[in-house]
Structure formats: structure tokens, C-alpha cells
Amino acid sequence: MKKQIITVAGGGSTYTPGIIQAVLHGQNRLPVSEIRLYDIDATRNENMYLIIQYMLEQQGFSNIQVKQTANPEEAFTNADFIFSQIRVGGLTMREKDEKIPLKYGLVGQETCGLGGFAYGLRSIGPLLELVGFVQKYAPEAWILNYTNPETIISEAVRRQYPGIRMINVCDMTIGIEDTLAKNYGYDRDNWIATYYGLNHFGWYTKIYDKSLKRDIMPELLEKLQTQEIKEEDPSWNRAFNMIRFMVQQFPDNIPNNYLEYYFYPDMYVNYADPNYTRANTIMDGRERKTHEMAEKIRNKVEGDILDFYFGVHGVYIVDIAAALLNDEKKRFMLIVENKGAIPNLRADAVVEVPAYVGATGVEAIRLSAIGDFHKGLMEAQVAAEKLLVDAYFENSYQKALQAFTLNQTVPNATVAKQVLDEMIKANEAYWPELNK
Ligand code: G6P
Ligand code: MN
């Protein structure tokens, strides 16, 4: 099998070691000759380059070349797969996305609510630029995108580059499945899940277990009602137990944890510390650890140096790339243009649904019509996100204000405008101009 060239866009990310670890484990299905780290932040990229080289050496993969670059031509020419995980504005801007809405008593979150919208307007331009580079230097490559906020990014890319070889992926569904399986005593490898929604905004309707030969949804729902979930990371522990809380109120489906921001914004605002948000936790945690690892390698410190998260996230991405390469026709939850997958939802919505991946790309399955509760929520959210993407392409303040007002975490147009105006200032270096 031809060995593949993988380019990680946003190479300096703290997620990179986990992804590369998954690549190394996946050499039988996705053999690799070269890994390129592409990042506009030279310091972070250099740190990651040291870490990845060290990993490869330690694990006996000196046959795989590692390169680092900030030059798109070098990064993409002849690449087979682009793993896109850029974070426009970095954690500094994530912190603002989280803190500004909280100041106004609204949900402040990386991908949901107005923080997510601010992040969306920031990310569209650089993501389109990235896709443009890939079109120019590696038009046959597959882009696996997990840059957030994914529905908004997908909507923008779809408009500018219809038919692009890009797959939008989020690890949250397997994250949920993994956690449920571990906590409630199942083996997720046996699961065939049915789920629909928008990204970070959806519901499970069925989980068929191959070994038990039945739909285990009823028993999972019952366990969620009564049995606590235990997760090590406190904020994830809270998020997963919010799934339980939501099931207690709406017992028919298992919701994505991110729906808490739309259903119970008040609870989130009460819980959140407006002076210390998730971005701060990441800066003081993963970010600091990554920096320390690189420093130790630089100073030739001996002993156990590597300390990073390796789990579902990297494995999922490698699984999808392998499915494309080997025509595996494996099932994943993916973010695609609806086109009838959810038959009673507008065809041009970007949805997250089960899909099979093989050599020709993604084939989403056709689901049954959905009920009014979820449909109504999704329609409002889709419209808000489309308005935001319109605001980007039309440089329209009015469309941005409409998007902010329609966002389901926002109670009125007064506060929508206040947050929008403050976000415009905070994002001056990143957002397109919005004309009144
Ligand atoms: C999940 C979501 C991602 C999100 C991440 C945040 O993996 O699917 O979209 O970016 O969580 O995790 P963090 O640890 O950075 O808060
Ligand atoms: Mn996600």
C-alpha cells in the first residue's frame, strides 16, 4: 500500500500528540511516510515538532519523516490527508468568547451561543483560505476538518467550494457513547447508533447492540435516570451528568451534552466563573503541559517525559482516514449537507447524521421524519447559523444582529446587540467588516 503523507493544519495544537499516537497505532490500515506540522505560530509548531520527533524515536518509527512549516506550498504539496484543527485567535480569543457573553448573563462557550458565533465569524476566513491552499497544492487530498464551530464552517465552505473533498467530523458522539458504555458496562465496539441533529445539537434515537442483538436505548435511558456518571475531568463530569438531567426532563432520547447550553442557560451561567473559564483551565493544563514536555526534550531530560491525552479523538480521525483509503464502508456520525437525510428538514441544512465512509467519500443514511420539538429547535438554530454565514459573505451588520438575536441562548434583541457590539471590538483583528 502506498504510504501516505499527512499534514496537520494547526500542528501546534495540544491535540496533536494524541492524533499522532493514533496514526502510529493505525499503521496497518493507514501507513504513513511523512507527517507535516503546519502552523502560523512558529513557537508552538517548533515545540510540537520536538515532541512528535521524540515520540517517533521512542516508539521506533524513525522511518516516518516529520516536518514543520508555516509555508502552505511546503505543507500541502502531494499531501494525501489534511487533518484540520486550526483555532483562529488561539486560546486568548476562546477566553473572550467565553467571558464576554457571561458578562451579560448569557452562556459563554467555545462553540455554543454567542461565543460560538463569534468564533464562527473568526474562523470562516482562515478556513476558506486553508481550503483554497489545498485546492491549489493538493486537489486530490481529503480534508478531515474538526475546526469548530463545525456547522458554521461547513456551511461557509459548502457555499464557496461545493463538492470539496472535505469531511467534517466531531468526536462528541463517540465521546458520549464511550462514556456511557464505560459507566454502564457495555462494549461500544458492538454499538450501531442512530443519532440526528446539528453539530453539538442532536439526539440519539436508537443504539443497537450487536452482541446483545437488541436496541439498548430503553435500558440506557433508564440507567441515565438513576445512575450517576463518573468522569475524571470535573467540567466533563458535569457535562455528562447534565445529559442525565436532560433525560430526567425529556425521557425519550439521549441528548448531546451541548444541548444544556440551549435548554438550561440559567444553570450554566450560575455554575460558570466569569473570571476563570474553560479556556483558562486549558491554558493552565494541557497548554502548560505541552510547553513543559517540549522544554524537557530540549534540555535532554531523561525519564518519562510524554504526558498527553490519547483517546477517542485521534482514533476517530484515523479511523475515518483509513475508511476512505481502504474503502472500508464504516459507519460514523458525520456533519453533512442534509439533502434528505432528515426528510422533513430543509435540504440545505448542515446536519450531523450516521454515514458510511468508503473510497468515494461519505454516504449519509436516510432517517425517518423527526418530531416537532427537535425540528423546531433545529430550524431556528439552522436559520441563525445561516444568517451568520450570510453576515460573513455580505459584510452585513444587520444579518449578524439577526443571527445573534435568533440564537437560542439569547432572550432579547437588546442584549444581542450589546454583545455583538462588544464582540466586534474584541474581534477587530479577525472578523470581516460588518457594514450598517
Ligand atoms: C469535544 C468537542 C469539541 C470541543 C472539545 C473541547 O471534543 O467535540 O468540539 O472543541 O470537546 O474540549 P476542551 O477540553 O478544549 O474544552
Ligand atoms: Mn465537536
Side-chain angles (χ1 to χ4, degrees):
M1 204 190 307
K2 178 188 165 280
K3 293 201 170 183
Q4 307 290 298
I5 299 175
I6 294 178
T7 302
V8 182
S13 160
T14 56
Y15 280 109
T16 303
I19 293 165
I20 301 304
Q21 188 63 69
V23 169
L24 299 181
H25 283 197
Q27 284 304 286
N28 54 337
R29 290 162 68 213
L30 181 71
V32 166
S33 62
E34 196 176 320
I35 295 166
R36 298 177 188 163
L37 305 178
Y38 170 67
D39 206 305
I40 55 169
D41 185 329
T43 312
R44 295 178 90 223
N45 214 24
E46 168 71 25
N47 281 346
M48 199 46 68
Y49 175 72
L50 289 176
I51 293 169
I52 301 304
Q53 262 199 331
Y54 184 89
M55 269 175 75
L56 294 182
E57 246 166 60
Q58 268 211 329
Q59 300 183 32
F61 287 99
S62 44
N63 57 325
I64 300 178
Q65 269 196 51
V66 199
K67 288 183 183 158
Q68 59 159 329
T69 180
N71 175 329
E73 185 172 356
E74 267 175 42
F76 301 119
T77 304
N78 296 326
D80 299 292
F81 289 99
I82 320 296
F83 294 172
S84 160
Q85 53 170 359
I86 63 172
R87 181 186 281 285
V88 179
L91 288 167
T92 319
M93 289 308 293
R94 175 176 181 175
E95 188 182 6
K96 293 192 180 166
D97 294 340
E98 292 168 349
K99 288 184 179 171
I100 293 172
L102 280 173
K103 255 179 35 187
Y104 295 86
L106 304 185
V107 168
Q109 211 276 331
E110 174 199 27
T111 65
C112 297
L114 298 184
F117 273 16
Y119 188 19
L121 268 189
R122 223 168 41 243
S123 303
I124 294 173
L127 219 290
L128 290 174
E129 187 189 42
L130 182 84
V131 172
F133 289 144
V134 177
Q135 287 282 282
K136 185 166 170 197
Y137 299 118
E140 296 301 310
W142 277 102
I143 305 172
L144 303 192
N145 177 60
Y146 33 102
T147 286
N148 272 324
E150 292 225 46
T151 324
I152 293 166
I153 302 269
S154 314
E155 171 69 21
V157 171
R158 188 182 68 76
R159 288 191 199 181
Q160 183 140 327
Y161 296 103
I164 184 82
R165 285 160 79 89
M166 171 161 145
I167 300 182
N168 293 287
V169 213
C170 167
D171 63 359
M172 200 63 247
T173 52
I174 40 156
I176 293 171
E177 290 164 36
D178 206 55
T179 301
L180 295 184
K182 280 187 185 138
N183 273 271
Y184 296 150
Y186 296 88
D187 179 356
R188 182 175 65 88
D189 287 343
N190 293 325
W191 286 7
I192 304 171
T194 305
Y195 172 98
Y196 62 76
L198 315 172
N199 182 231
H200 291 184
F201 197 105
W203 298 265
Y204 285 92
T205 53
K206 186 175 171 182
I207 295 181
Y208 183 80
D209 189 300
K210 284 187 277 188
S211 72
L212 301 172
K213 296 193 171 51
R214 62 167 188 265
D215 178 9
I216 57 166
M217 192 69 176
E219 60 204 77
L220 278 176
L221 285 166
E222 206 179 291
K223 290 191 162 96
L224 280 161
Q225 296 266 0
T226 52
Q227 295 179 28
E228 209 185 319
I229 292 178
K230 293 199 179 70
E231 264 290 309
E232 217 178 293
D233 178 306
S235 62
W236 282 112
N237 187 64
R238 180 184 174 282
F240 284 117
N241 283 293
M242 280 306 286
I243 294 185
R244 296 190 51 231
F245 181 76
M246 289 188 274
V247 168
Q248 284 158 7
Q249 321 299 316
F250 300 97
D252 294 341
N253 299 101
I254 300 176
N256 191 301
N257 54 291
Y258 280 91
L259 282 164
E260 72 154 297
Y261 301 111
Y262 300 94
F263 289 173
Y264 305 103
D266 48 335
M267 284 173 76
Y268 187 72
V269 171
N270 274 337
Y271 154 84
D273 177 350
N275 299 311
Y276 195 88
T277 57
R278 182 77 186 161
N280 301 112
T281 308
I282 304 301
M283 289 175 196
D284 296 340
R286 283 206 303 268
E287 195 67 18
R288 191 181 49 78
K289 261 207 246 174
T290 305
H291 187 79
E292 283 171 5
M293 272 192 276
E295 276 304 293
K296 284 186 186 161
I297 295 169
R298 225 176 247 122
N299 298 323
K300 307 210 173 352
V301 172
E302 309 227 324
D304 260 355
I305 287 182
L306 296 180
D307 176 12
F308 60 84
Y309 168 74
F310 168 55
V312 291
H313 178 74
V315 172
Y316 200 47
I317 290 152
V318 169
D319 261 352
I320 295 169
L324 286 164
L325 186 65
N326 309 314
D327 192 29
E328 288 173 10
K329 301 178 183 76
K330 262 189 130 178
R331 180 170 168 132
F332 301 93
M333 235 54 93
L334 295 173
I335 300 157
V336 297
E337 193 175 340
N338 185 24
K339 289 182 178 158
I342 302 170
N344 56 340
L345 188 80
R346 59 194 281 185
D348 66 351
V350 172
V351 295
E352 188 166 336
V353 290
Y356 286 84
V357 176
T360 55
V362 175
E363 291 177 25
I365 70 168
R366 188 184 161 89
L367 299 160
S368 314
I370 64 175
D372 275 330
F373 179 42
H374 298 171
K375 183 164 173 279
L377 287 160
M378 282 166 71
E379 277 169 348
Q381 182 71 8
V382 168
E385 291 179 343
K386 281 189 180 285
L387 286 165
L388 190 81
V389 176
D390 289 347
Y392 174 85
F393 283 111
E394 297 166 23
N395 293 93
S396 165
Y397 179 89
Q398 185 52 219
K399 287 282 181 71
L401 180 59
Q402 290 176 6
F404 271 51
T405 305
L406 189 54
N407 187 295
Q408 297 293 288
T409 63
V410 176
N412 61 64
T414 311
V415 73
K417 185 171 180 346
Q418 286 165 342
V419 177
L420 176 60
D421 290 342
E422 184 162 345
M423 285 294 196
I424 288 175
K425 288 199 194 95
N427 285 277
E428 214 181 353
Y430 302 99
W431 276 16
E433 205 172 311
L434 297 177
N435 303 317
K436 287 190 182 153

